[in-house]
Amino acid sequence: QVQLVESGGGLVQAGGSLRVSCAASGRTLSDYAMGWFRQAPGKEREFVAAISWSGGYTYYADSVKGRFSISTESAKNAVYLQMNSLEPEDTAVYYCAAAHLDSPWYGGSSWPYESWGQGTQVTVSS
């Protein structure tokens, strides 16, 4: 199983940008499909974005489409979430997750994520 560690969270003003990172160890991420999720206080965890490593297909929740971008870096065995035009509603703990899939299907939110990081806090002030 792959171990995941997120970093890069912090406090940013509305309209600003932030990039959160997810570093993996134990296995190479090229064997996995990756996702980002978030959970705000008092709310359920929700899907944010996903990427199929082999094909490079990306998927986004409607709420972040056009503002967020997911990417991978093989050399660092890492996944990133670039967040632009941040809004107070984006405030949450952000988690990366890995699904060991040979053929990820369309969507990203329903992949069988088996490994999760501990999360990184993102706070957007108004």
Side-chain angles (χ1 to χ4, degrees):
Q1 201 172 28
V2 64
Q3 289 78 47
L4 305 173
V5 178
E6 301 94 336
S7 62
L11 174 64
V12 63
Q13 288 189 330
S17 298
L18 203 61
R19 188 180 81 160
V20 290
S21 304
C22 175
S25 61
R27 298 285 294 272
T28 175
L29 285 185
S30 60
D31 295 334
Y32 291 81
M34 302 299 297
W36 282 96
F37 291 75
R38 66 187 182 187
Q39 187 166 20
K43 295 187 177 180
E44 293 189 353
R45 185 171 60 195
E46 65 175 356
F47 169 77
V48 176
I51 186 166
S52 63
W53 197 289
S54 57
Y57 296 104
T58 57
Y59 308 97
Y60 298 94
D62 289 342
S63 60
V64 306
K65 202 170 293 184
R67 300 189 297 123
F68 289 13
S69 177
I70 186 171
S71 62
T72 61
E73 185 173 359
S74 299
K76 295 187 176 181
N77 212 31
V79 179
Y80 305 101
L81 184 68
Q82 176 67 44
M83 303 181 289
N84 299 325
S85 302
L86 283 161
E87 305 168 351
E89 293 73 24
D90 296 317
T91 295
V93 177
Y94 283 71
Y95 300 89
C96 70
H100 197 187
L101 288 173
D102 292 329
S103 300
W105 51 88
Y106 180 88
S109 61
S110 63
W111 294 345
Y113 295 100
E114 59 191 56
S115 299
W116 294 81
Q118 85 290 346
T120 185
Q121 176 71 47
V122 172
T123 303
V124 185
S125 63
S126 57

